[in-house]
Amino acid sequence: AASGPGTNYAIDDPFTAARTAWWRQDRFGMFIHFGAYSHYEGEYTSPSGSVCRDAEWIKRNCNIPIGEYEQFAKTFNPSGFDADAIATLAKDAGQRYIVITSKHHEGYAMWPTKVNTWNLRDHSAFDKTRDILAELKRASDARGVKLGFYYSIWDWHDPDFPNASTFPKYKERMYAQLKELVDNYHPAVFWFDGEWDTTNPYNPWRAEDGEQLEAYLRGLDPNLVINNRVGKRRVADGDTGTPEQEIPNEPVLGQLWESCMTINGSWGYARHDQNWKSVTDLTRKLTTIASRSGNYLLNVGPDALGRVPTEAATRLRGMGSWLGANGQSGAVYQAESPGVVDEPSWGVVSRRGSKLYASVFNWPASGGSLTLHARASFNVTGARVLGSSQTVSATRSGDTVTIRPSGSRVGDPTVIELGIATAAATPVGSG
Ligand code: H79
């Protein structure tokens, strides 16, 4: 593909590009929100004694004066950050890549950047010999898990950001930081955010800044997978669309996509937030996303010491054990939207090659059946319930496929595998 400022990378077709091949198959990643905000653990008590709760937005939403925020960051000491434990957790969860915040809106760099001192090395009580991004890179590599970086374009700390005349100086520093990240840690992904900033008196980010930034990154490493929040043209920017806390209703045609979601209700660690989603809920979301050809980037927020909350770890391992029994089959990894059937009311259906994988959320009552509406001509060649020896029949009549299991469910979701034979991709009704 052509490169250089002004290149429209939408014509570089990320759907088929070699750089996105792994990403299109892997489907499930771990998002990690970790920064100086984590030191508050979601709660700020002002000098007058009033308590304000938030998470990674605590500085803004609780109006913490910058001097106070900087002072508090000096005591940030995430000595419990254990990269091996985190990479093992991701692996056990069946997550094949990790995206960690290298710098969130607060502007605080989580690696020893040489660009400024507002970073975990120079502005904390943390061990000055440690570099958590280097640790996580090593731990991820050792387990075959890919590592990527979130990087906020919007910066609340750098005074040169929200000002047209000084913005070029900010941009130079941002480019220098991104080069440090590429040179030092060789990330697989860049996940930008905050280009949409609407709350500043002045947001300097223009569409051409996005195009130029993307070209710059392609020049640093042509294999980078880059999300669409690099710029302001949305589907024309980057490789991957980024629905946040939502699942698109249909397969998205214009761009590869990845739903990012929280495992409780917060991105950054928040002690007060015990709103943990269940393993079933999370697994249903994962299969739903995969059945619509998307990826799931599921977030955890380590606490002030850098430890992933037990409640999050337990749920991730629960998903991993479900994936161990069902995911390898094609219900998730390498799965795509089936194309040949409509999404049923009782679950979702994904496809890998000549197999359909029906993830059943609502199991039929004894003697009952599940039906699928076919959109193309294919024959059903067989059916089985994963993790069960029960017989299951699947027959097609007209455009209705009827599935009759004979026993009870083995999990939620329970996966039914259907073999299909497509003679030709002929639409229903044309013979
Ligand atoms: O880092 C987490 C949040 O702190 C940050 N993004 C996630 C990954 C975030 N901060 N605020 N918001 C998200 C809410 C703003 C969302 C929107 Fe949008 C910005 C709605 C419209 C513009 C996201 C970006 C959805 C569409 C574009």
Side-chain angles (χ1 to χ4, degrees), residues 31 33 56-57 104-105 150 193 196 229 234 244 267:
F31 214 175
H33 273 67
E56 79 285 354
W57 274 65
H104 204 265
H105 308 333
Y150 170 109
D193 199 7
W196 43 263
R229 299 192 195 179
R234 309 306 299 182
E244 181 166 325
W267 298 99

Side-chain angles (χ1 to χ4, degrees), residues 74-98:
K74 281 185 181 162
T75 60
F76 183 34
N77 185 7
S79 57
F81 186 92
D82 182 344
D84 286 308
I86 291 173
T88 298
L89 178 60
K91 187 85 182 173
D92 290 350
Q95 296 170 312
R96 299 197 165 169
Y97 59 105
I98 295 174

Side-chain angles (χ1 to χ4, degrees), residues 410-421:
V410 290
D412 187 351
T414 296
V415 179
I416 300 177
E417 182 187 81
L418 301 176
I420 58 169

Side-chain angles (χ1 to χ4, degrees), residues 165-233:
S165 62
T166 56
F167 174 66
K169 293 198 285 175
Y170 168 78
K171 207 159 96 174
E172 257 180 55
R173 285 195 287 276
M174 172 174 149
Y175 272 42
Q177 285 200 327
L178 294 170
K179 187 165 182 338
E180 287 180 348
L181 288 170
V182 171
D183 290 348
N184 298 343
Y185 313 101
H186 309 289
V189 172
F190 263 114
W191 210 106
F192 289 94
D193 199 7
E195 92 295 350
W196 43 263
D197 154 28
T198 51
T199 64
N200 260 317
Y202 180 79
N203 175 357
W205 200 252
R206 303 284 170 266
E208 53 271 28
D209 292 310
E211 293 177 61
Q212 193 197 77
L213 174 58
E214 190 176 346
Y216 173 68
L217 295 163
R218 302 278 181 225
L220 293 179
D221 180 354
N223 291 321
L224 280 168
V225 174
I226 301 171
N227 75 337
N228 66 351
R229 299 192 195 179
V230 70
K232 294 213 157 168
R233 301 171 303 165

